[in-house]
């Protein structure tokens, strides 16, 4: 099966993430999209991260009725910080029956040269890149890049966390189920 891996902190997961995942699944040859919850992105500070199991739970709640999207905690069981090449290598060994691709924004593609073993990564794994405003899709001759024109929303997890701290409702920016979990557990207050 051809599986797209959508990596992220998902801190919290919001409708923008879900639109990209669903769009990638339904407009490409991907049969499933796995939302890979990263416990710690080596390029981002971890002080604002909600506990990884809470973030995993929020993603599970957000996609529970979509059979094409799946949540995985694979990086919870790998050395930290999480490096995409290590996760891909592990998944390719554990699931040799699947073909894996990475779903990423053009902003991430522009800084991929900062990633661990990026040369090996882009040679071994096709990339499905959605355009982000202000970030062109960079071409790497050794990479297989598929550009997807997913609809984008100008919302971010950072913005959502700030709104929650300021007691501004985030309904419609996250799914109803995620909103209920955030409120019930006082996340991000």
């Amino acid at each position: 099966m051809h599986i797209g891996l959508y990596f992220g902190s998902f801190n919290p997961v919001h409708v923008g993430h879900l639109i990209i995942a669903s769009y990638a699944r339904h407009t490409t040859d991907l049969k499933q999209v796995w939302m890979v919850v990263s416990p710690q992105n080596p390029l981002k500070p971890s002080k604002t991260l909600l506990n990884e199991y809470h973030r995993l739970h929020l993603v599970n709640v957000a996609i529970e009725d979509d059979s094409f999207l799946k949540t995985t905690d694979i990086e919870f069981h790998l050395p930290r910080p999480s490096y995409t090449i290590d996760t891909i290598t592990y998944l390719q060994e554990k699931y040799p029956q699947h073909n894996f691709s990475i779903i990423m924004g053009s902003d991430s593609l522009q800084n991929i040269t900062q990633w661990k073993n990026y040369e090996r990564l882009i040679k071994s794994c096709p990339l499905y890149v959605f355009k982000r405003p202000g970030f062109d899709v960079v071409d790497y001759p050794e990479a297989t890049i598929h550009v997807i024109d997913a609809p984008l929303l100008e919302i971010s997890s950072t913005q959502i966390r700030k709104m929650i701290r300021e007691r501004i409702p985030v309904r419609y920016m996250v799914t109803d189920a995620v909103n209920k979990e955030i409120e019930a557990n006082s996340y991000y207050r």
Side-chain angles (χ1 to χ4, degrees), residues 82-108:
S82 307
Y83 294 102
T84 304
I85 188 64
D86 297 337
T87 305
I88 292 289
T89 301
Y90 179 82
L91 288 170
Q92 288 171 336
E93 290 172 4
K94 184 172 180 170
Y95 302 104
Q97 72 276 24
H98 296 317
N99 296 313
F100 294 99
S101 294
I102 298 173
I103 299 168
M104 67 169 52
S106 56
D107 55 335
S108 294

Side-chain angles (χ1 to χ4, degrees), residues 16-83:
H17 295 130
L18 302 176
I19 288 169
I20 289 165
S22 180
Y23 190 87
R25 160 54 189 102
H26 292 285
T27 62
T28 68
D29 61 341
L30 298 173
K31 300 301 178 204
Q32 239 181 15
V33 172
W34 292 4
M35 309 280 286
V36 183
V37 179
S38 300
Q40 181 188 350
N41 179 328
L43 300 177
K44 290 185 179 177
S46 60
K47 66 179 188 226
T48 61
L49 282 176
L50 185 65
N51 173 283
E52 62 214 50
Y53 290 98
H54 296 316
R55 290 183 284 121
L56 179 73
H57 175 68
L58 291 176
V59 177
N60 279 326
V61 166
I63 66 171
E64 66 188 350
D65 62 349
D66 191 328
S67 62
F68 295 113
L69 303 181
K70 177 183 169 183
T71 309
T72 179
D73 66 353
I74 194 72
E75 289 192 341
F76 292 21
H77 311 290
L78 297 174
R80 296 188 191 183
S82 307
Y83 294 102

